[in-house]
Amino acid sequence: MTPEKLNNYIIEYCKAFENGEITKEEYLELLKGINIMEGIADDAEGLALKEQLNVMLNAVISSASLMV
Amino acid sequence: MKRILIVLFAFSLSGCALFDAYFMAKYDTTEYALVNEIKTKAQVAEENCSNHLLVVTQVNELYIKSLEFKNFTTHIPRNKDANNMSTKLLTLTKDTRDYFNKAEKVSLIFCKTKLQQVINSADTIQHVIGSKPR
């Protein structure tokens, strides 16, 4: 999750709280949720990188085996 | 350019990281189906936010499905990343379930936003799980 996206979420929730659309407890619950979302996004980024690396390694191995 | 960066990154990695990447868990249809089901259930629940009783039932189901997803990913070899994400998604759905069960009524905005968090997270997971090597 980009810092901009994270910031947008916080602003959106803050506005909803200030406008009285959500209670304080609900606001805190949403902030707690952002934390978890961020963790998931970080893990996903790591896995995506590993997937790209896997593709590259397979390509390298395939081309090496063709040369032999 | 992106490929060059990946190659440079690969050379800077330790052998262990390369080993992990090469032998990572492959795409699993059940894993993908489970996270897809979680996302779909959350989308349906979001549509029913005006009916508190119905939403409570649906977030309970959402929690059970997330627990199933987490349990499924647990003992698959070299699947730590997916397991970490499923554990976090379980925490998110558990928090949602607990809050909805505790409160007599929740605001419409909160209901929609909270379920949107679950939908977005499930979508993020679905995207990377769907891109695993075949």
Side-chain angles (χ1 to χ4, degrees):
Chain A
M1 192 186 293
T2 60
E4 290 80 26
K5 208 168 179 184
L6 190 69
N7 206 28
N8 287 344
Y9 280 132
I10 294 171
I11 291 169
E12 186 191 321
Y13 301 162
C14 196
K15 266 187 191 164
F17 175 55
E18 281 170 359
N19 295 339
E21 291 167 334
I22 54 172
T23 64
K24 191 182 173 186
E25 288 75 30
E26 288 173 344
Y27 174 60
L28 293 174
E29 184 63 31
L30 289 177
L31 289 183
K32 207 165 100 180
I34 288 188
N35 238 346
I36 302 170
M37 280 174 81
E38 204 190 349
I40 290 174
D42 284 348
D43 288 341
E45 236 172 78
L47 182 58
L49 199 64
K50 216 180 263 187
E51 284 163 1
Q52 283 178 315
L53 196 55
N54 181 283
V55 172
M56 296 296 293
L57 287 171
N58 278 310
V60 168
I61 290 167
S62 299
S63 42
S65 63
L66 282 175
M67 278 186 256
V68 177
Chain B
M1 186 62 191
K2 203 175 173 186
R3 283 187 175 193
I4 295 168
L5 284 174
I6 292 168
V7 172
L8 288 175
F9 177 72
F11 281 116
S12 69
L13 287 171
S14 65
C16 194
L18 290 173
F19 182 86
D20 265 0
Y22 187 69
F23 291 104
M24 68 183 288
K26 300 280 183 276
Y27 171 78
D28 188 310
T29 321
T30 310
E31 203 174 63
Y32 189 83
L34 280 171
V35 74
N36 181 52
E37 212 172 321
I38 293 166
K39 187 173 94 174
T40 310
K41 275 181 186 288
Q43 285 169 333
V44 173
E46 192 201 358
E47 286 172 13
N48 295 319
C49 268
S50 48
N51 186 339
H52 184 69
L53 274 179
L54 185 57
V55 171
V56 168
T57 315
Q58 287 174 332
V59 292
N60 284 338
E61 285 173 15
L62 204 57
Y63 167 72
I64 295 168
K65 206 33 92 178
S66 299
L67 183 60
E68 192 184 343
F69 176 49
K70 191 237 165 204
N71 287 341
F72 184 85
T73 59
T74 301
H75 294 301
I76 298 176
R78 303 187 202 293
N79 202 32
K80 202 173 184 314
D81 297 290
N83 185 240
N84 285 343
M85 288 190 292
S86 65
T87 305
K88 284 174 184 139
L89 187 63
L90 178 67
T91 310
L92 190 62
T93 53
K94 188 181 183 297
D95 287 350
T96 309
R97 181 202 67 167
D98 291 348
Y99 196 91
F100 276 72
N101 278 298
K102 189 181 70 187
E104 279 180 23
K105 200 181 153 205
V106 297
S107 66
L108 188 67
I109 297 280
F110 172 77
C111 176
K112 284 189 175 290
T113 315
K114 192 70 192 168
L115 287 164
Q116 201 60 53
Q117 288 186 343
V118 178
I119 296 167
N120 288 343
S121 299
D123 186 67
T124 305
I125 298 171
Q126 189 182 21
H127 183 76
V128 281
I129 281 180
S131 308
K132 276 183 172 183
R134 263 57 176 178

